[in-house]
Amino acid sequence: MNASRTFLISGAANGIGRAVAEHFATDEAHRLILVDRDLAQLQSWVGNGAFAASIETHGVDIADLASVQALFNDLSVRLGYIDVLVNSAGVCNENEPEDLDNWHKVISVNLNGTFYVTSLCLPLLADRGRIINLSSILGRIGKVRNTAYCASKHGIIGMTKALALDLAPRRITVNAILPAWIDTPMLQGELATQASIAGISQEQILRNAKKKLPLRRFIQADEVAAMVRYLVSPEASGVTAQSLMIDGGAGLGM
């Protein structure tokens, strides 16, 4: 059994956030605070599982500062501390360069929301705690129709590096994980959109996407959870301000 730790994981209703939560939920010593704006979906998988950890669920839109403040007002009354913060919540709306609506939606959730949760969590975060931010391979490169998403994920990397320096005196590490093609509902939705735009089937888009990957497969959400497990382990206590790729080799180029 691992040492008792309290985790706060945003975006835990599905995808990477859920995989991370399910991984740490197997240990009865752990306490999980799971956050997602889709509370019904979050409660559905939590309620249908048999988990050893203590789990509580909260419906919070991280882009809504008042909602995030209400969450931490409640937690500060009931909790002594949080050991690990995993910022996994995010949206991947594509946008044309003239599309101000989606620009604001994506930046509000991915960048502002991540900062809100992190900033308000800091008074509860234990010294020698860990913060893991989910960025993306698009935090290092660009992609057509993704100015908002790319900007938000580049911003998370910058925030990670600066915050790591701010929190170093408290021995809190801050790192970012940069996935590429991860087999999640978010990816499936993105592929469906691309198929519609290109006028081809989703199956063809799927085949085309896999051909771009040296490993010829998508990364599984559980593999990202394993990287989180390393970053919160004692062996990673000296790893901070890093941006760790998990991309099946996609970032190598041609």
Side-chain angles (χ1 to χ4, degrees), residues 10 22 35 45 65 86 110 150 189 201:
S10 73
E22 288 180 328
V35 175
W45 77 256
L65 179 56
V86 180
N110 293 3
C150 289
S201 71

Side-chain angles (χ1 to χ4, degrees), residues 12 25 41 48 76 120 175 213 235:
Q41 174 75 12
N48 289 330
S76 65
L120 293 171
N175 293 287
L213 301 174
E235 292 79 10

Side-chain angles (χ1 to χ4, degrees), residues 116-163:
Y116 293 160
V117 172
T118 303
S119 179
L120 293 171
C121 185
L122 289 181
L124 280 174
L125 196 64
D127 289 350
R128 302 182 186 278
R130 309 292 170 89
I131 298 175
I132 295 96
N133 297 320
L134 267 296
S135 180
S136 166
I137 189 174
L138 295 185
R140 286 189 174 169
I141 61 175
K143 184 184 177 188
V144 68
R145 302 189 74 249
N146 273 267
T147 51
Y149 189 77
C150 289
S152 70
K153 294 303 185 177
H154 275 72
I156 285 176
I157 292 174
M159 185 181 75
T160 296
K161 292 176 180 179
L163 191 62

Side-chain angles (χ1 to χ4, degrees), residues 7 16 27 40 52 59 62-63 74 83 96 122 139-140 146 150 164 179-180 186 197 210 218 227 231 245:
F7 294 75
I16 292 171
D27 194 320
I62 65 167
D74 170 57
D83 297 288
E96 299 293 348
L122 289 181
R140 286 189 174 169
N146 273 267
C150 289
M186 181 181 285
I197 292 171
K210 289 182 178 179
F218 294 148
M227 186 173 283
L231 289 173
M245 302 278 282

Side-chain angles (χ1 to χ4, degrees), residues 230-244:
Y230 166 68
L231 289 173
V232 305
S233 71
E235 292 79 10
S237 62
V239 179
T240 195
Q242 300 305 305
S243 302
L244 305 177

Side-chain angles (χ1 to χ4, degrees), residues 7 14 32 34-35 48 51 62 78 89 95 111 114 122 129 132 136 197 207:
F7 294 75
N14 51 51
L32 304 187
L34 305 184
V35 175
N48 289 330
F51 301 108
I62 65 167
R78 298 187 295 105
N95 70 296
L111 190 54
T114 298
L122 289 181
I132 295 96
S136 166
I197 292 171
R207 288 194 294 271

